């Protein structure tokens, strides 16, 4: 709810409050004051429970005050020329060759729903506060949009800038969100990584100076995910921020010696320089923020927000099929018959969707060739993909394929005919990564080509699912079309969004899964189009515990592609198939093997796993998840519980074997109820009879899974992990 009360504006979510105050701007020279300029400041952002009524501030904003006045002015948005002398959210090279602006508050109004939508954005917005500021020169108008959804505490924030004059200016920086925090002692969690090691939590303590988390790769990147947590250690408040964007992003946290800190979230200003001619406007991507008194609450809010306000409504809270993917088992060595044999085995073990990964298109026998030539390889599929798709569908399975639209191989027909489609700097040798170049997504002709050739394949093969990969970063950012260098990165990602938009509209029932050399583009922009994203090429149970744990802080389990596979990629701590299932059976679950290599016993085990998964699928994929043991806090344990009404499912694992004497304390269950606890039967552990415990005991003392079961693990010489799953059912009186 948004309400106005004299000079105050209140934005209320179910549990938090954001308060702005409009203030007079007082000059020493009284003649200036006749203009009646006003500024808008942020006076409170936090839980409602901590809010104490704020009186209008006595002191007016005075640009000629003491030296430090403007270090603590709490303006809702900073820009060069506001006297702050800090890094700013906005930087404009004006037509008068200055960087200086002075924005004054003009008006604020409430708009129903979302507004000025460009690219991926929060869906089902209830209302938006539009705060308008105008530059002293009158030629530039700024709109700050704060949007609320009525079902959780996340607030979305973005900015629109309009050139109201007739002279062009250059936008050098435009953050989407800025918020002050009244604290000098912050802890920041960022989720950084690389291929096979995505979203590893990193902790930094900041008592002074500037902390930056940013991507420079043209994509949100493996290196630095745009999701961050900021913990105010003075006030014990937990903030989380993210950006609905897949390009270069930047999160800046500055602790100011005067006693407050500020946070800026938005597009990275690195190599960013956007020209705005008269009447042009620019809308920033939407940033999101939430604040609460615990990490559990910020995480739950983020999960609900993504599931209800980011994911494509056709897939919201809809069970995701168990899939088989050909990559880890067969790589490029595929053909119709070998795949069909595997599809029959898939049917037997309970898989629901069969996916042919890389290698189905003409001349694609290694990663040196054919990206961009999106026509099926007749040597592998004599009658095209339509035939294999029909055969697979006749088994009762769904059918899907892999694509990598934003790439082009130098060894391809399309490159031969259209070298100008590739990103290459003039007069410089292009740098290849994974032997490939990037295709020019800013070029409409390229996007039309991709839309047409991919649509043809999707139609012919009647695909139900598409894995959209992106296996390198941008280096030679140069287009054959006349586009300014400083606009390239942003327009590239909007080119990708345009293609995604067209393909998802043309094929509304196709489930897209994002991917980028594993989880290198795991962000809200991608999740807007692809309800799930391949989390990592590393499926090793031990490493996955960390990768999943980091990912879960910002993204719900339903969005994570997680497969049981060879268990060798990236770490030698291999574990049993039982443990691999326990760790990977969340989110978009599946398998990556050459299934023909397994004996009947193993196939029966997979079948048993799938039966268990299907029985609890909705609870696992969409229940409310709470972390019990975060391996980044204590690397011996990893466990969480997922709740939905009267049922919960508990996942526990010891990452380092030992007699830890540990009891696992449950969260989110009913303390007044009794629960029947049924352990999933595993063939590496003795069967355990169901037990009954009270909710109170489960919450307060916890359950001693060690002596009930875990200590009995049959070690089989594995160095992996030791894990169990238990289903908790409320006993009705
Ligand atoms: C990337 C993906 C893999 C697979 C290969 C195919 O590495 O992460 O899952 O799709 O590409 O080339």
């Amino acid at each position: 709810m948004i309400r106005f009360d004299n000079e105050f504006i209140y934005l209320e979510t179910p549990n938090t409050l954001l308060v702005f105050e409009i203030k007079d701007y007082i000059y020493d020279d009284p003649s200036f004051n006749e203009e009646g300029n006003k500024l808008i400041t942020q006076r409170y952002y936090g839980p409602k429970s901590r809010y104490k009524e704020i009186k209008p501030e006595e002191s007016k904003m005075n640009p000629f005050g003491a030296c430090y006045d403007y270090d603590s002015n709490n303006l809702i948005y900073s820009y060069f020329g506001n006297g702050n002398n800090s890094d700013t959210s906005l930087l404009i090279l004006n037509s008068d060759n200055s960087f200086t602006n002075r924005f004054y508050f003009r008006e604020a109004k409430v708009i129903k729903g979302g507004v000025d939508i460009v690219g991926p954005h929060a869906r089902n917005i209830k209302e938006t506060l539009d705060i308008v500021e105008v530059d002293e020169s009158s030629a530039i108008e700024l709109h700050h949009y704060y949007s609320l959804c009525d079902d959780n505490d996340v607030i979305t924030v973005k900015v629109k800038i309009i050139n109201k004059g007739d002279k062009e200016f250059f936008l050098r920086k435009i953050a989407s969100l800025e918020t002050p925090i009244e604290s000098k002692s912050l802890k920041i969690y960022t989720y950084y990584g690389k291929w096979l090691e995505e979203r590893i939590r990193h902790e930094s303590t900041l008592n002074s100076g500037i902390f930056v988390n940013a991507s420079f790769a043209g994509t949100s990147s493996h290196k630095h995910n745009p999701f961050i947590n900021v913990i105010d250690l003075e006030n014990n408040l937990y903030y989380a921020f993210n950006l609905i964007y897949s390009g270069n992003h930047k999160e800046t946290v500055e602790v100011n010696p005067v006693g407050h800190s500020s946070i800026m979230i938005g597009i990275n200003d690195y190599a960013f320089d956007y020209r705005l001619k008269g009447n042009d406007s620019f809308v920033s991507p939407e940033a999101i923020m939430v604040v609460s008194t615990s990490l559990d609450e910020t995480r739950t809010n983020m999960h609900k927000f993504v599931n209800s306000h980011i994911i494509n409504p056709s897939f919201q809270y809809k069970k995701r099929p168990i899939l088989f993917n050909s990559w880890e088992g067969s790589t490029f060595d595929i053909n119709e018959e070998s795949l069909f044999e595997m599809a029959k085995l898939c049917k037997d073990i309970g898989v629901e969707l069969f996916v042919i990964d890389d290698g189905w298109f003409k001349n694609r026998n290694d990663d040196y060739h054919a990206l961009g030539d999106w026509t099926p390889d007749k040597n592998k599929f004599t009658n095209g993909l339509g035939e294999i798709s029909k055969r697979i569908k006749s088994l009762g399975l769904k059918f899907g394929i892999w694509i990598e639209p934003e790439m082009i191989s130098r060894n391809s027909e399309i490159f031969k005919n259209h070298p100008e489609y590739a990103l290459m700097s003039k007069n410089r040798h292009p740098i290849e990564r994974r032997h490939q170049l990037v295709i020019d997504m800013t070029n409409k002709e390229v996007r039309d080509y991709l839309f047409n050739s991919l649509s043809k394949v999707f139609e012919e093969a009647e695909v139900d699912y598409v894995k959209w990969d992106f296996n390198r970063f941008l280096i030679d950012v140069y287009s054959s079309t006349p586009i300014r260098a400083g606009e390239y990165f942003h327009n590239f990602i909007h080119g990708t969004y345009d293609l995604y938009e067209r393909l998802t509209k043309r094929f509304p029932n196709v489930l897209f899964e994002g991917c980028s050399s594993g989880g290198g583009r795991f962000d809200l922009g991608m999740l807007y189009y692809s309800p799930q994203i391949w989390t990592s090429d590393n499926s090793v149970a031990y490493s996955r515990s960390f990768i999943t744990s980091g990912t879960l802080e910002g993204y719900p389990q339903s969005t994570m592609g997680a497969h049981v596979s060879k268990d060798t990629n990236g770490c030698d701590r291999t574990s049993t198939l039982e443990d691999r299932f326990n760790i990977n059976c969340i989110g978009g679950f599946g398998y990556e093997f050459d299934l023909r290599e397994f004996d009947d016993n193993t196939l029966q085990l997979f079948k048993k796993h799938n039966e268990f998964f299907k029985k609890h699928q909705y609870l696992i994929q969409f229940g409310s998840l709470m972390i019990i043991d975060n391996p980044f806090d204590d690397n011996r344990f990893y466990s969480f519980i997922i709740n939905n009404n009267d049922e919960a499912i508990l996942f526990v694992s010891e990452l380092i074997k030992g007699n830890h004497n540990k009891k696992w304390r449950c969260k989110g269950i009913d303390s007044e109820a009794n629960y029947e606890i049924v352990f999933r039967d595993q063939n590496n552990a003795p069967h355990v009879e169901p037990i009954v415990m009270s909710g109170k005991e489960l919450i307060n003392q916890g359950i001693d899974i060690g002596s009930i079961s875990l200590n009995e693990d049959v070690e089989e010489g594995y160095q992996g992990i030791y894990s169990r799953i238990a289903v908790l059912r409320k006993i009705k009186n």
Side-chain angles (χ1 to χ4, degrees):
M1 194 175 72
I2 302 169
R3 71 190 159 85
F4 295 78
D5 183 3
N6 294 314
E7 56 271 68
F8 289 102
I9 307 174
Y10 299 88
L11 288 90
E12 223 179 291
T13 71
N15 301 294
T16 69
L17 198 58
L18 175 60
V19 183
F20 298 127
E21 185 186 3
I22 302 151
K23 294 174 164 193
D24 291 325
Y25 193 70
I26 304 293
Y27 294 87
D28 277 2
D29 180 339
S31 66
F32 288 177
N33 292 328
E34 283 163 21
E35 291 172 27
N37 289 326
K38 289 179 186 303
L39 295 175
I40 179 155
T41 62
Q42 183 173 315
R43 295 295 308 281
Y44 181 80
Y45 179 44
K48 276 183 191 166
S49 56
R50 301 255 189 109
Y51 177 71
K52 294 196 186 76
E53 202 196 333
I54 297 172
K55 298 261 176 312
E57 229 170 30
E58 285 290 306
S59 67
K60 310 286 184 197
M61 305 296 288
N62 183 341
F64 307 106
C67 287
Y68 56 77
D69 277 2
Y70 276 75
D71 287 341
S72 56
N73 62 21
N74 284 357
L75 288 180
I76 62 164
Y77 202 65
S78 58
Y79 48 88
F80 191 99
N82 71 350
N84 212 349
N85 296 109
S86 286
D87 196 3
T88 55
S89 283
L90 185 72
L91 184 65
I92 295 171
L93 177 56
N94 292 292
S95 55
D96 63 3
N97 197 32
S98 80
F99 284 122
T100 303
N101 294 105
R102 258 185 216 117
F103 287 98
Y104 298 117
F105 172 80
R106 167 71 59 82
E107 60 167 332
K109 53 183 184 294
V110 178
I111 300 168
K112 227 173 143 221
V115 68
D116 280 328
I117 288 161
V118 181
H121 58 276
R123 307 173 196 263
N124 312 324
I125 287 300
K126 195 172 173 224
E127 52 183 348
T128 299
L129 174 67
D130 176 10
I131 298 174
V132 188
E133 292 187 299
V134 180
D135 183 41
E136 206 166 22
S137 74
S138 304
I140 307 174
E141 195 171 283
L142 265 181
H143 291 251
H144 304 276
Y145 297 123
Y146 292 81
S147 298
L148 306 182
C149 31
D150 52 3
D151 55 357
N152 71 61
D153 291 321
V154 169
I155 297 179
T156 84
V157 191
K158 70 180 176 190
V159 176
K160 178 183 181 182
I161 186 162
I162 310 171
N163 184 350
K164 291 273 184 175
D166 49 16
K167 295 202 186 91
E168 67 185 23
F169 63 77
F170 296 89
L171 202 50
R172 292 280 176 86
K173 184 177 184 193
I174 180 161
S176 304
L177 174 161
E178 179 171 344
T179 192
I181 294 185
E182 296 303 324
S183 172
K184 280 198 340 182
S185 181
L186 303 179
K187 188 154 80 177
I188 302 164
Y189 290 151
T190 47
Y191 300 87
Y192 82 112
K194 56 183 184 187
W195 181 54
L196 304 178
E197 237 181 87
E198 292 89 343
R199 285 166 301 287
I200 299 303
R201 193 183 85 186
H202 184 263
E203 184 178 321
S204 315
T205 305
L206 193 70
N207 296 315
S208 74
I210 300 176
F211 177 94
V212 175
N213 178 65
S215 146
F216 301 82
T219 147
S220 51
S221 85
H222 294 84
K223 281 192 194 167
H224 305 289
N225 195 271
F227 174 76
I228 66 166
N229 291 111
V230 178
I231 302 162
D232 168 358
L233 299 172
E234 283 177 20
N235 301 299
N236 209 18
L237 284 175
Y238 294 75
Y239 297 81
F241 301 91
N242 208 340
L243 190 65
I244 310 177
Y245 192 59
S246 314
N248 289 341
H249 59 89
K250 184 171 180 181
E251 294 72 42
T252 308
V253 185
E254 176 170 358
V255 171
N256 195 305
V258 170
H260 91 174
S261 308
S262 70
I263 303 202
M264 289 182 270
I265 312 283
I267 296 175
N268 193 348
D269 52 331
Y270 170 77
F272 178 85
D273 179 23
Y274 224 90
R275 176 169 60 196
L276 290 191
K277 295 187 187 154
N279 293 322
D280 279 357
S281 61
F282 183 93
V283 181
S284 77
E286 240 171 326
I288 64 172
M289 63 179 182
V290 71
V291 59
S292 79
T293 49
S294 74
L295 213 51
D296 273 339
E297 277 175 52
T298 59
R299 190 189 312 110
T300 305
N301 269 293
M302 282 290 163
H303 286 193
K304 278 197 189 141
F305 179 80
V306 175
N307 275 329
S308 310
H309 298 279
I310 294 290
I311 299 301
N312 177 346
S314 314
F315 297 93
Q316 267 177 19
Y317 299 103
K318 302 252 163 65
K319 288 184 197 166
R320 307 284 157 70
I322 302 178
L323 69 80
F324 166 87
N325 177 298
S326 62
W327 180 249
E328 294 291 334
S330 312
T331 60
F332 298 105
D333 186 15
I334 49 172
N335 61 55
E336 181 157 342
E337 286 321 310
S338 67
L339 290 171
F340 191 64
E341 272 177 52
M342 283 188 241
K344 284 191 280 188
L345 295 173
C346 283
K347 182 64 193 167
D348 292 345
I349 63 172
V351 162
E352 297 159 314
L353 161 68
F354 189 90
V355 181
I356 306 182
D357 205 276
D358 200 352
W360 59 263
F361 45 103
K362 210 168 135 203
N363 292 331
R364 184 69 171 172
N365 299 315
D366 54 39
D367 52 12
Y368 288 80
H369 292 84
L371 288 170
D373 294 343
W374 301 110
T375 47
D377 187 341
K378 293 272 162 106
N379 293 323
K380 294 176 184 168
F381 305 99
T382 324
N383 299 313
L385 285 184
E387 179 69 15
I388 173 115
S389 163
K390 261 192 210 99
R391 290 178 73 192
I392 284 172
K393 286 187 181 209
S394 73
L395 296 172
L397 296 174
K398 291 180 180 219
F399 180 73
I401 57 168
W402 174 98
I403 57 170
E404 198 181 0
E406 295 142 283
M407 299 295 155
I408 183 165
S409 303
R410 291 224 285 172
N411 298 309
S412 66
E413 287 299 313
I414 187 72
F415 186 81
K416 226 178 280 158
N417 299 332
H418 289 286
E420 79 282 7
Y421 281 8
L423 287 198
M424 292 188 291
S425 307
K426 253 190 190 160
N427 310 322
R428 291 184 183 89
H429 291 298
I431 292 185
E432 295 187 21
R433 284 275 187 273
R434 209 195 182 205
H435 324 296
Q436 64 198 49
L437 298 174
V438 181
I439 212 164
D440 186 359
M441 294 301 289
T442 66
N443 184 343
K444 168 97 174 30
E445 189 182 306
V446 170
R447 299 200 300 271
D448 287 346
Y449 162 75
L450 290 170
F451 177 74
N452 293 331
S453 52
L454 291 169
S455 296
K456 199 162 164 243
V457 183
F458 294 178
E459 264 163 25
E460 179 198 324
E462 292 184 27
V463 295
D464 302 296
Y465 163 102
V466 170
K467 178 175 168 190
W468 180 313
D469 213 337
F470 181 85
N471 278 316
R472 62 158 290 176
F473 299 139
L474 272 58
I475 299 174
D476 293 305
V477 175
Y478 182 84
S479 175
S480 59
T481 66
I483 177 169
R484 298 183 59 256
E487 298 175 9
Y488 197 87
F489 277 124
H490 183 66
N491 285 10
F492 178 90
I493 200 62
H494 273 276
T496 297
Y497 291 151
D498 176 58
L499 184 63
Y500 244 129
E501 191 76 43
R502 288 165 74 183
L503 286 170
T504 47
K505 284 228 164 75
R506 170 78 188 73
F507 301 95
N509 299 320
V510 170
L511 171 64
F512 282 81
E513 174 156 355
C515 179
S516 170
S517 299
R521 199 161 63 173
F522 208 114
D523 61 61
L524 298 179
M526 283 297 127
L527 284 174
Y528 179 86
Y529 296 106
S530 61
Q532 57 193 56
I533 297 178
W534 178 226
T535 314
S536 175
D537 282 341
N538 186 344
S539 293
V540 175
Y542 175 78
S543 327
R544 257 303 168 118
S545 306
F546 291 89
I547 295 168
T548 308
S549 213
T551 309
L552 278 174
E553 280 311 326
Y555 306 91
Q557 68 272 23
S558 60
T559 61
M560 287 193 276
H563 303 168
V564 173
S565 73
K566 275 188 186 155
D567 205 24
T568 49
N569 227 357
C571 162
D572 57 7
R573 287 183 57 151
T574 56
S575 49
T576 65
L577 283 168
E578 294 286 19
D579 289 306
R580 280 187 252 169
F581 172 75
N582 287 349
I583 294 300
N584 283 306
C585 75
I586 61 169
F589 173 55
Y591 294 89
E592 291 200 35
F593 285 118
D594 182 342
L595 286 177
R596 297 167 304 172
E597 287 171 2
F598 295 110
D599 60 18
D600 206 43
N601 281 344
T602 314
L603 292 171
Q604 285 308 314
L605 181 69
F606 291 153
K607 190 172 176 184
K608 211 174 91 188
H609 288 167
N610 289 332
E611 281 163 5
F612 178 88
F613 183 75
K614 281 180 191 164
K615 197 162 161 202
H616 305 287
Q617 193 169 357
Y618 191 85
L619 169 65
I620 293 175
Q621 291 179 329
F622 299 106
S624 170
L625 186 147
M626 296 178 111
I627 301 275
I628 298 174
D629 292 292
N630 189 328
F632 297 113
D633 290 330
D634 180 343
N635 66 2
R636 294 173 301 167
F637 307 109
Y638 164 57
S639 57
F640 55 88
I641 186 166
I642 309 179
N643 291 285
N644 194 26
N645 300 325
D646 293 345
E647 255 195 335
I649 187 159
L650 177 65
F651 294 76
V652 299
S653 34
E654 284 184 356
L655 302 177
I656 295 173
K657 187 73 181 155
N659 207 351
H660 301 301
N661 257 340
K662 177 174 168 70
K663 287 188 175 178
W664 274 268
R665 293 217 294 235
C666 296
K667 291 179 174 178
I669 58 168
D670 183 355
S671 61
E672 299 306 316
N674 286 323
Y675 284 87
E676 182 193 40
I677 303 162
V678 182
F679 284 86
R680 185 178 85 74
D681 269 333
Q682 297 183 196
N683 65 9
N684 61 342
H687 168 78
V688 177
E689 285 301 321
I691 53 175
V692 173
M693 282 178 76
S694 73
K696 222 175 248 125
E697 195 183 350
L698 284 164
I699 295 169
N700 297 331
Q701 279 88 50
I703 172 167
D704 181 357
I705 298 176
S707 39
I708 297 171
S709 167
L710 216 49
N711 297 346
E712 303 300 319
D713 234 40
V714 183
E715 293 197 22
E716 298 175 25
Y718 286 100
Q719 312 167 341
I721 64 161
Y722 302 87
S723 60
R724 291 291 183 276
I725 298 180
V727 177
L728 280 63
R729 232 171 258 120
K730 205 175 187 176
I731 298 172
K732 303 240 160 75
N733 293 325

